[in-house]
Amino acid sequence: MEFDLSWILLGLPVAFVLGWLASRWDLRQIRAENRQAPKAYFKGLNFLLNEQQDKAIDAFIEAVQNDPDTSELHFALGNLFRRRGEYNRAVRVHEHLLSRGDLSRVDRDRAQHALAQDFLKAGLLDRAEDALRRLEGTAFEAEARLALLAIYERSRDWTQAAAIARRMQEANQGDFSGRLAHYLCEDAQALLTQGQQAEALQRLQQAITTAPQAARPRLEHAQLQHRMGQSAQALHTLESLAEQSPASLPLAAQLLVDIAAATGQRQHIHQLLSQQYEQAPSLDLLQALVALDAQIEEQSNDGETGAPGRARLVQHLDREPSLVAAAQWLAGEKLAEEQYHPAVQRALDHAAKPLTRYRCAACGFEARQHFWHCPGCQSWDSYPARRVEEL
């Protein structure tokens, strides 16, 4: 049987036409799908800009259905779910992304980071910790370590927090010596509740070595020394505090008064507090000096009772307007109409009471006591050693 070349000549144009028609059909279908996906995407973007998150989510879901392989739409949808507090749906979106085999390494790390944020926002700290640890060696490593640090601080796991802080410091991601000193102080407090004073003292000494400029280790070290009957050593510790961190000495003012009574070194401590008061007047330093004036006057047993302390209050009022000092001065005065004195004094004390609080410089949270770690915003060293009235 002879092969007829005429069939080939006739078949080639037919095949060409069929191929051209098929390509045009596919091209039209692709264009239609592409027009559909961006239309839904831009509609969702418009809703998002108008703060209509419900409609934006519906539009992005439609866009994802039209183009399920587009990772950017999944990221946008997951972030929207997280912002709305729908953490379960956000987790499902990001876990779906991670399950895809065609996802690039960059997008996989990004999805892992987004998943960790979902767990953090949902308060699932165990799952967040596992997700964050998977980000080691990625572009999100530094951010993940900071988040882990916050988790361990929140759960008061100081050992794990210290390990992360050391790793970040070794990687030149910041100076964490101050935080490491705080962690050691927290360990010392836990040991004290168990009655292990010697071990707590060792932790505080280690904290001083870790952060020589930090105020908390020396202050708590002196408090423990005084409690253990080592008042002379406590005074030496507070003298080093005055050298290393003079702005923090008001926090030790009452402790210095107690040490003065225990050691009898009233004049020396009075001079130490007076020098700091002259450089930076403070209500706590003022109260300590008034108390020491009373101790010294009682010891000498001469002069009008309370005169030096009352004179010091007046001098402070000349230097710094203070309702707290004025209320204290008025408490010892005899008024022309003395029967009204108690009511006036109560009103002044009530008005002055909020002024004796401490205020966080980061979030404004106020408290009667000084905090090293703000209960409101979880910031370290955000409370100045000064009362609200002095800020």
Side-chain angles (χ1 to χ4, degrees):
M1 180 178 180
E2 294 183 359
F3 186 72
D4 192 353
L5 292 175
S6 60
W7 287 105
I8 297 177
L9 296 175
L10 289 173
L12 283 175
V14 173
F16 175 78
V17 170
L18 291 175
W20 182 82
L21 289 174
S23 66
R24 295 294 296 173
W25 174 262
D26 290 340
L27 188 59
R28 286 178 182 177
Q29 188 175 3
I30 291 171
R31 284 177 177 173
E33 291 175 354
N34 286 341
R35 281 195 300 268
Q36 231 177 354
K39 183 179 178 181
Y41 177 79
F42 287 120
K43 186 168 63 173
L45 186 60
N46 183 55
F47 286 135
L48 191 60
L49 292 173
N50 290 323
E51 298 183 358
Q52 296 175 286
Q53 293 190 6
D54 291 336
K55 294 182 178 180
I57 286 175
D58 293 337
F60 281 130
I61 289 175
E62 179 186 348
V64 168
Q65 290 172 346
N66 292 331
D67 191 4
D69 295 331
T70 303
S71 58
E72 287 299 330
L73 292 176
H74 286 79
F75 282 122
L77 191 58
N79 290 338
L80 269 176
F81 283 143
R82 189 194 312 125
R83 286 178 59 184
R84 279 181 51 83
E86 299 182 45
Y87 303 122
N88 289 334
R89 300 179 76 180
V91 167
R92 286 200 299 271
V93 169
H94 294 130
E95 284 183 338
H96 170 71
L97 275 171
L98 287 171
S99 67
R100 284 173 47 179
D102 62 337
L103 203 63
S104 68
R105 178 66 182 176
V106 173
D107 282 346
R108 186 169 298 278
D109 294 341
R110 185 179 167 192
Q112 184 67 44
H113 178 250
L115 182 63
Q117 289 181 310
D118 297 338
F119 290 140
L120 278 174
K121 290 291 186 180
L124 303 173
L125 300 185
D126 291 341
R127 299 184 70 178
E129 178 185 355
D130 179 65
L132 289 167
R133 287 194 173 277
R134 296 175 184 270
L135 292 169
E136 283 288 327
T138 70
F140 299 97
E141 181 181 72
E143 190 175 343
R145 286 177 176 176
L146 278 175
L148 280 171
L149 196 63
I151 288 175
Y152 294 138
E153 289 179 353
R154 183 175 171 182
S155 59
R156 304 184 68 80
D157 189 343
W158 307 118
T159 303
Q160 291 276 29
I164 291 291
R166 290 193 193 96
R167 196 179 306 167
M168 295 183 73
Q169 186 152 335
E170 290 169 359
N172 296 321
Q173 294 175 354
D175 182 11
F176 291 86
S177 58
R179 285 204 186 188
L180 288 169
H182 279 301
Y183 301 156
L184 289 166
C185 291
E186 294 289 344
D187 280 339
Q189 292 298 323
L191 289 169
L192 283 175
T193 59
Q194 301 169 9
Q196 302 180 40
Q197 290 186 338
E199 291 80 0
L201 199 64
Q202 185 179 4
R203 290 286 195 285
L204 292 171
Q205 290 169 344
Q206 186 179 350
I208 293 173
T209 304
T210 301
Q213 303 297 327
R216 182 184 182 182
R218 295 181 192 275
L219 179 57
E220 294 188 357
H221 190 258
Q223 289 171 342
L224 182 54
Q225 286 175 317
H226 180 60
R227 191 187 309 176
M228 295 171 67
Q230 304 173 6
S231 298
Q233 293 90 327
L235 176 56
H236 177 70
T237 301
L238 292 179
E239 287 173 337
S240 65
L241 173 65
E243 294 176 3
Q244 297 291 335
S245 181
S248 302
L249 195 61
L251 297 175
Q254 183 56 49
L255 178 59
L256 282 166
V257 174
D258 297 338
I259 292 174
T263 61
Q265 299 192 48
R266 295 179 177 86
Q267 293 292 349
H268 174 66
I269 293 176
H270 191 281
Q271 182 181 4
L272 176 66
L273 291 172
S274 296
Q275 289 175 352
Q276 182 59 30
Y277 177 83
E278 289 301 321
Q279 296 174 9
S282 162
L283 284 173
D284 290 293
L285 294 176
L286 174 66
Q287 301 296 340
L289 287 168
V290 169
L292 283 174
D293 286 336
Q295 288 186 16
I296 294 170
E297 182 187 12
E298 183 180 353
Q299 189 179 25
S300 61
N301 196 23
D302 60 357
E304 184 183 349
T305 304
R310 293 179 55 71
R312 189 176 296 279
L313 288 171
V314 173
Q315 292 171 5
H316 182 81
L317 289 171
D318 288 337
R319 187 171 180 175
E320 301 282 340
S322 169
L323 183 61
V324 177
Q328 187 176 355
W329 177 84
L330 190 62
E333 278 294 298
K334 293 292 183 181
L335 303 182
E337 299 180 358
E338 186 60 25
Q339 67 272 24
Y340 301 123
H341 193 173
V344 173
Q345 190 65 49
R346 282 196 302 271
L348 283 174
D349 290 340
H350 179 74
K353 190 174 182 180
L355 301 177
T356 62
R357 296 173 181 169
Y358 294 97
R359 179 186 295 160
C360 174
C363 70
F365 187 90
E366 293 186 3
R368 293 182 180 178
Q369 71 180 82
H370 181 274
F371 285 104
W372 301 103
H373 192 207
C374 178
C377 63
Q378 307 299 308
S379 298
W380 290 100
D381 293 318
S382 59
Y383 276 83
R386 301 179 71 81
R387 308 286 179 166
V388 168
E389 188 183 57
E390 304 169 282
L391 298 176

